[in-house]
Amino acid sequence: MTKREMFEAIINGNITEEEYGEAVWVLDPDSVVVSYEQFDRKGVESYYSTATVYMMYDNDNLYLAVIVDSPYHFCNLAQADADDMWSQECIQVNVTPIAPNSAFYLDNDYWDWNNQATQSQEETTEKNLMRQYGFSVNTQTGEQLNCLWQGDNTRLNPTFKVTRSEQQTTYEVAIPWSELGAADAPFVPEQGLDIGVSLSINSGRAANDFMNYYLRDGGGVIGRNDWTKIPVITLD
C-alpha cells in the first residue's frame, strides 16, 4: 500500500484516481479473488454488484475508498441501530496492525471471535489488535451510519462519507492509526510493516434480502471470521 507524503484527502465521497491513484482491487463475479459463497442468489439470475477499491495511507490515517456499482441500495436504519447494518447495504472492514500470518494469529485460537469460551476475543479486544468497522447510509434520509463490531469502542473516530447516486454507492473512509493498538501504545505506521485489511460488501434489495461478496482469501469478516485469511498489506 502506497504512502502519500503530501496526501490531503477530502473525505466527501468523491473518488478520483488523481486523489487515490490506481485501484488496489477490482471485484466482480469473474474475479478469482472474490467469493459469493456465503449467501444464495435469492431469486436473481446473476450477481449484480461490482466494486472498485482504493487504498493508501499517510502518517495519520488509513484511507479506504470503495465504489459499488449496483441497481440496489437498501438501508433504512438510524445510527442508533447501526450495529444491524450487516443485514442491509454496507461495507464491513477489518483492520489489524499485526500481520494475519504472524505467530500471534497462527499459533493461537484468535481467529474464532465467536468462541467466547476462549481468551482470544478478550485479548484482541483488550490489546485492540483487531477492529471491525461498518459503514453505510440510510437510503431515505441520507443519515451517515458507522459502527464498530470488534475492538475498543471508546476509540471510534473515523472520518467517513457514504453517498448514493444513480447506481453507485461510494464509501470514503479515513481510519486514524491511533485507533489501532493499545491505548498506551498506539500503532505507528512505518515503511515495510505488514498489516491486515479485509473487506466485505453487502448488497441489499430489501430488508433481510441481501447478498455479499468478499475476497476469497480474505476471510475475517464473513462466516467464521478467520483472521488468518485476511490479506496481508505491506506499507510501502
Side-chain angles (χ1 to χ4, degrees), residues 83 124-128 130-133 146-158 176 178-184:
D83 283 359
T124 52
T125 300
E126 178 184 356
K127 295 181 178 180
N128 208 38
M130 178 61 67
R131 294 180 71 83
Q132 185 177 106
Y133 299 86
N146 74 319
C147 66
L148 185 70
W149 288 294
Q150 170 70 25
D152 180 359
N153 236 322
T154 66
R155 296 160 61 196
L156 178 60
N157 191 36
S178 58
E179 292 192 6
L180 280 67
D184 59 351

Side-chain angles (χ1 to χ4, degrees), residues 176-231:
W177 292 120
S178 58
E179 292 192 6
L180 280 67
D184 59 351
F187 175 74
V188 177
E190 295 181 6
Q191 187 175 17
L193 287 180
D194 289 335
I195 65 171
V197 180
S198 193
L199 175 71
S200 171
I201 298 169
N202 292 9
S203 189
R205 298 177 296 165
N208 299 316
D209 180 13
F210 72 102
M211 298 179 294
N212 64 7
Y213 57 105
Y214 56 99
L215 300 182
R216 186 179 300 278
D217 295 324
V221 179
I222 302 302
R224 293 294 300 277
N225 288 265
D226 187 347
W227 292 342
T228 67
K229 301 298 185 183
I230 292 175

Side-chain angles (χ1 to χ4, degrees), residues 6 10 13 22 39 76 83 121-123 128-129 134-135 156 169 193-194 198 202 206 211 217 220:
M6 300 299 293
I10 300 174
E22 295 183 3
F39 300 97
N76 65 357
D83 283 359
Q121 170 85 344
E122 295 177 8
E123 185 168 358
N128 208 38
L129 297 177
F135 301 98
L156 178 60
T169 305
L193 287 180
D194 289 335
S198 193
N202 292 9
M211 298 179 294
D217 295 324

Side-chain angles (χ1 to χ4, degrees), residues 131-179:
R131 294 180 71 83
Q132 185 177 106
Y133 299 86
F135 301 98
S136 189
V137 62
N138 184 296
T139 313
Q140 286 77 39
T141 67
E143 182 178 4
Q144 301 289 292
L145 310 175
N146 74 319
C147 66
L148 185 70
W149 288 294
Q150 170 70 25
D152 180 359
N153 236 322
T154 66
R155 296 160 61 196
L156 178 60
N157 191 36
T159 303
F160 70 101
K161 181 71 174 180
V162 187
T163 62
R164 174 71 177 173
S165 177
E166 297 182 350
Q167 287 204 170
Q168 284 193 343
T169 305
T170 301
Y171 304 82
E172 188 173 20
V173 181
I175 298 174
W177 292 120
S178 58
E179 292 192 6

